[in-house]
Every structure is written in structure tokens, then in C-alpha cells.
Amino acid sequence: LTSSDFKAALKDKGVATVDAEQVSEEYERSKPALRKLLTRTQFSLPNLTGVQWRLDHVVQSKHLSHLNEPVFMLRFNILQSNGREEPLEVTCSEEQLRDLYSTLS
């Protein structure tokens, strides 16, 4: 954002011209410090480093006598922004796996 764009945005919001000029000048002087601060406080998403999966076939469960459906066990290896790798384990049905796949692709 340039100083002139910032000044124009302030004027559009009803800030007096003199005040908008002073604020935009201070913004321009403080821009390097603001950028440095933003790089330290920036949110970063974790990185997916690996996936392991397994397919089980559930014939019956404690709640249902005859289930007969596949169950997918997924283990995602996630690298956090602090450099630590953590596993994320998920169990899902075939329909849930298809939904996950379509969401991620």
C-alpha cells in the first residue's frame, strides 16, 4: 500500500486532509518496522509431509450386529511452524474419504 493510496483511503473515510497527510507520512516512515512486526506475527499453516493409510473391513460392531462396510485409517504427518512434526490420525468411512479427497483436490 503506497502512502498516497493510504492517504486517499483516509480521505474517503472522512479524515481531514491535513490529518490524512500526517498519518500517511507517519505510515511511510513506519512501514519497515510494520513489515518486520508482521513477519514475526504472521500466521502460517502447517505442512503435510506424509500420509499413511490402512483399509479395514468392519463386519459388525457393538451397536450394530451386521455392518459390513470399509473403514479407512489415515495418519497425516504434519510439520508445524515451530519445526516439530506431529501425527494427525483420522478414521473415516468411504463416503467421508471421498468428501475429504474432493475438498483437498
Side-chain angles (χ1 to χ4, degrees):
L1 182 66
T2 66
S3 178
S4 59
D5 290 340
F6 187 56
K7 183 172 33 174
L10 289 172
K11 286 182 183 178
D12 288 345
K13 296 296 180 183
V15 176
T17 303
V18 174
D19 295 336
E21 287 175 1
Q22 288 177 345
V23 171
S24 65
E25 287 171 8
E26 184 60 35
Y27 165 75
E28 195 61 38
R29 278 193 299 273
S30 302
K31 199 186 284 188
L34 286 170
R35 285 188 174 147
K36 188 175 182 180
L37 177 66
L38 287 173
T39 58
R40 284 192 312 224
T41 60
Q42 180 178 348
F43 174 76
S44 63
L45 293 173
N47 293 318
L48 180 65
T49 59
V51 177
Q52 297 170 343
W53 64 276
R54 184 179 87 215
L55 170 62
D56 287 347
H57 197 81
V58 178
V59 178
Q60 72 181 41
S61 73
K62 183 167 55 170
H63 303 289
L64 298 171
S65 62
H66 190 62
L67 198 55
N68 200 23
E69 72 177 38
V71 175
F72 294 88
M73 313 292 185
L74 304 170
R75 180 185 173 118
F76 298 102
N77 299 325
I78 310 282
L79 183 63
Q80 299 293 340
S81 57
N82 61 7
R84 221 172 77 213
E85 192 164 299
E86 296 178 7
L88 172 65
E89 296 181 359
V90 177
T91 302
C92 59
S93 67
E94 183 178 3
E95 181 181 333
Q96 291 169 324
L97 182 62
R98 287 181 195 272
D99 184 47
L100 176 65
Y101 179 78
S102 66
T103 301
L104 296 176
S105 59

